[in-house]
Amino acid sequence: MFAGLRERAGTDRREVELAAGATVADIWPALELGAEPSGLLYAVNRRYAERDQQLVDGDEVALIPPVSGGAFRLTHGPVNLTAVVVEVVDEQAGAIATFLGTVRAQSRGRDVIALEYEAYEEMAEEVMAEIADELTTRYALCKVAISHRLGRVEVGETSVAIAVSAPHRQDALAACADAIEALKSRVPLWKKELYVGGEEWIGRGS
């Protein structure tokens, strides 16, 4: 369990025993954590799963709160844009487009102190690679690289860097824009906004 779910349960991992023939839908009731959150997703053995998927002994089920929003690198230190750009340099490229996501001082009318990012790391990198493959096919790209920071990120610091290279600039620019939207909506990565006197986990698409 991650982010707000982990805090709600008081632990990040719990073993449950289910009857033979149980499905993913049986997991939440077994945890006895109250009403199931809206938008909750599940992953079985690091792949997104439907609620009717049957489970077998030993399956690892991850509860994915609404994703906020990656090669596909997760780092606990500062994001290095130069290193991300270097990864997409290609002799066939006529353009390299980049995107930097930074922590702003205000959000929804409140003063932000910092953000904290958390991820299901093993699965997150796999999903980021899938996104890169899809974008490469859609736009005939050369290369894609994404680096996202985990842990505490202060106001003004970079939380995510994306670089895309392509033979033509319009493809590089469009793919870069699509990459950040896909990362925010699909990658199991969450952020907590820290304010003076409070904090809040932020949901999908933020």
Side-chain angles (χ1 to χ4, degrees):
M1 289 172 279
F2 303 92
L5 291 183
R6 170 177 48 76
E7 293 181 347
R8 183 171 175 176
T11 180
D12 65 352
R13 186 178 300 267
R14 184 182 296 175
E15 291 190 9
V16 296
E17 291 192 16
L18 302 173
T23 67
V24 168
D26 295 312
I27 289 292
W28 183 262
L31 294 173
E32 299 181 338
L33 294 175
E36 182 174 344
S38 176
L40 184 65
L41 300 177
Y42 295 88
V44 177
N45 301 323
R46 302 179 185 175
R47 292 189 177 276
Y48 284 116
E50 298 297 328
R51 295 170 59 84
D52 61 358
Q53 178 172 322
Q54 284 203 331
L55 299 172
V56 299
D57 188 37
D59 277 344
E60 177 189 82
V61 181
L63 280 66
I64 311 293
V67 176
S68 107
F72 322 169
R73 180 185 303 118
L74 299 170
T75 175
H76 289 271
V79 172
N80 187 325
L81 177 61
T82 301
V84 177
V85 171
V86 166
E87 291 191 9
V88 303
V89 171
D90 190 286
E91 62 181 13
Q92 300 301 318
I96 294 178
T98 62
F99 170 83
L100 283 180
T102 57
V103 179
R104 61 183 183 268
Q106 287 194 323
S107 177
R108 294 184 303 284
R110 289 183 286 187
D111 293 331
V112 174
I113 299 172
L115 299 182
E116 288 185 1
Y117 286 93
E118 178 179 322
Y120 181 11
E121 296 187 37
E122 299 85 352
M123 183 177 173
E125 293 179 348
E126 293 179 8
V127 176
M128 284 189 274
E130 292 174 4
I131 292 170
D133 288 342
E134 293 168 8
L135 292 173
T136 298
T137 300
R138 186 185 312 157
Y139 292 103
L141 305 178
C142 298
K143 296 177 182 177
V144 179
I146 308 173
S147 182
H148 204 296
R149 188 167 175 178
L150 300 179
R152 185 181 175 103
V153 187
E154 304 295 334
V155 170
E157 293 184 334
T158 298
S159 57
V160 59
I162 299 173
V164 176
S165 62
H168 305 289
R169 66 178 180 274
Q170 61 267 32
D171 287 337
L173 290 167
C176 196
D178 283 2
I180 185 62
E181 294 304 322
L183 181 131
K184 288 164 61 176
S185 65
R186 293 170 52 186
V187 177
L189 189 150
W190 308 272
K191 71 179 179 183
K192 178 190 285 185
E193 289 185 346
L194 306 178
Y195 317 106
V196 176
E199 59 187 31
E200 181 182 359
W201 286 105
I202 306 301
R204 180 180 295 123
S206 59

